[in-house]
Amino acid sequence: MRKLVSLLPAAAVLTAPLVLSAQPLDLPPRKAGLWEITMAVEKPGNVPAMTTKMCLDPATDRELMEYGLKFTDGKCKSVSRREGSALIINADCKIGGKPSKTTVVITGDFRSAYTARIEGTMASADGKKPQMTQMTQTATWKSADCPGMKPGDITMLGGVKVNIKQLKALSGLLR
């Protein structure tokens, strides 16, 4: 159970590009089926890439975005613009009561693949220098079928499988 709870923030980050943009933008929904998502974190530290699998249908895609929005306490002001095929989102948020500034650059079609480059700063708890974040999320649609999974299932590091409903219930333990 403790390991599962420790993975909640990682699962929330999987929806980060969509979370930051869910309120002001009308992004296309991701194609239903099995998605493979790789998150490479450059800052803070050199964290090994994490790959997860997610089974989506339209309802769970929407539910994941709404779940991720809760991690921002609903306090985001964002501005978005298009530059060619890229969508650029600048967001000022409060996450866990701490101010953060994030820039997300999303490319791709959401039907077969997308890449999100996320760069930001978040105030530290001790009032010292803000923490820098840089990561790249690459998502690829794999198939219409999700063998051994149902919509809303996320298979994370170590083969731990959770469903969005479990994540929502467990996130209450963290508050």
Side-chain angles (χ1 to χ4, degrees), residues 20-33:
L20 292 175
S21 58
Q23 290 171 331
L25 298 174
D26 187 21
L27 288 176
R30 289 176 282 190
K31 186 175 184 177

Side-chain angles (χ1 to χ4, degrees), residues 5 8 67 71 166-175:
V5 171
L8 286 174
Y67 169 72
F71 278 85
Q166 290 171 302
L167 288 175
K168 288 168 67 175
L170 288 173
S171 66
L173 298 175
L174 298 176
R175 295 183 186 248

Side-chain angles (χ1 to χ4, degrees), residues 62-143:
R62 196 170 37 258
E63 195 169 358
L64 279 163
M65 284 191 270
E66 290 168 3
Y67 169 72
L69 269 174
K70 291 184 182 180
F71 278 85
T72 66
D73 298 336
K75 298 176 184 147
C76 278
K77 293 179 184 173
S78 62
V79 176
S80 63
R81 69 184 188 283
R82 290 234 178 238
E83 282 187 14
S85 63
L87 175 63
I88 300 168
I89 304 154
N90 292 301
D92 288 321
C93 299
K94 286 213 179 212
I95 300 174
K98 298 178 200 166
S100 71
K101 292 183 181 280
T102 306
T103 298
V104 180
V105 179
I106 304 172
T107 56
D109 64 6
F110 288 86
R111 302 297 297 156
S112 61
Y114 64 89
T115 299
R117 176 73 180 155
I118 305 156
E119 295 184 5
T121 59
M122 181 179 222
S124 65
D126 57 12
K128 293 183 182 176
K129 188 174 166 181
Q131 182 176 335
M132 302 291 293
T133 303
Q134 289 181 337
M135 63 187 81
T136 302
Q137 181 184 98
T138 305
T140 307
W141 184 82
K142 295 298 186 181
S143 74

